[in-house]
Amino acid sequence: MSLHRQVSSATLTLCRGDITEQDTEAIVNAANSTLLGGGGVDGAIHRAGGPSILEECRKFREQRGECPAGESVITGGGNLKARFVIHTVGPVWHGGGRGEDELLGNAYRNSLILAAAHHIRTIAFPSISTGAYGFPIDRASRIAFDTVSGFLKNDSPLEEVRFVVYSQEDYEVYAFLF
Ligand code: ADP
């Protein structure tokens, strides 16, 4: 089950699935600021990708400290099909008055900027911040679509951006706006 839409020269895809199984050049991790792993998407990526990803994340931490919300770092993909993992930190939802919308947009945009800088043409995003971080998914999916579409309209080298959602319920929320 998947939907496709063209934005400039790129294809936007929406599908249900497991982010760790995507065959895009990069997958995005919904990481936390420590970059040292966690539950949800983060745990699944480190389990499937093996220890080399965590090792690289540790090096980033040693050199640059914690990764603030809205920012992204890139590592190799370890044992994953994807060659790269872009770890981004979404905001924790506090009711919407603490800049959560902007920070979530930054998380998507900075991940795309990093991807473009590494000549990555295909990338898959999970639904950042809408699990343990509690961001309402209808609002988050609108930010995801708007930010990605805006980026693709500005002459980007990306050929496919894929949104990978886990549950049928989340798929329906995304599909409504797609
Ligand atoms: P956050 O801490 O940013 O909220 P989570 O990992 O808790 O991130 O959840 C983000 C979203 O990813 C949730 O909707 C969750 O259901 C979904 N999710 C969890 N595991 C996977 C997976 N393996 N592949 C794709 N999506 C997943």
Side-chain angles (χ1 to χ4, degrees):
M1 175 165 49
S2 61
L3 296 173
H4 302 278
R5 189 153 66 80
Q6 201 69 22
V7 178
S8 300
S9 58
T11 304
L12 276 190
T13 304
L14 169 63
C15 65
R16 252 191 93 185
D18 185 335
I19 193 80
T20 66
E21 290 170 6
Q22 303 306 308
D23 59 1
T24 43
E25 286 176 63
I27 63 169
V28 175
N29 182 15
N32 61 53
S33 309
T34 69
L35 296 177
L36 298 180
V41 169
D42 205 3
I45 287 177
H46 286 292
R47 268 194 306 279
S52 68
I53 301 176
L54 197 58
E55 247 163 62
E56 279 190 69
C57 285
R58 272 210 187 92
K59 280 187 197 139
F60 266 109
R61 252 200 74 121
E62 278 161 24
Q63 287 161 11
R64 305 193 342 209
E66 294 211 332
C67 182
E71 312 245 320
S72 309
V73 302
I74 188 165
T75 67
N79 304 325
L80 296 167
K81 285 182 200 157
R83 276 184 61 209
F84 298 100
V85 178
I86 294 177
H87 306 260
T88 194
V89 182
V92 176
W93 179 254
H94 290 291
R98 294 205 205 163
E100 291 96 325
D101 290 347
E102 197 189 342
L103 290 170
L104 186 61
N106 291 348
Y108 280 94
R109 195 174 311 101
N110 285 326
S111 299
L112 293 167
I113 290 170
L114 206 47
H118 285 77
H119 310 291
I120 288 163
R121 287 159 304 167
T122 59
I123 183 169
F125 281 95
S127 183
I128 298 164
S129 281
T130 66
Y133 281 5
F135 205 117
I137 192 161
D138 51 343
R139 186 160 168 157
S141 60
R142 188 178 297 277
I143 292 167
F145 290 145
D146 288 352
T147 307
V148 170
S149 301
F151 185 87
L152 294 176
K153 281 177 190 150
N154 277 330
D155 228 14
S156 97
L158 285 159
E159 292 169 6
E160 186 192 356
V161 178
R162 194 179 295 173
F163 296 101
V164 181
V165 292
Y166 213 41
S167 71
Q168 179 61 25
E169 222 181 318
D170 289 354
Y171 181 85
E172 279 161 22
V173 175
Y174 265 70
F176 184 73
L177 288 177
F178 191 72

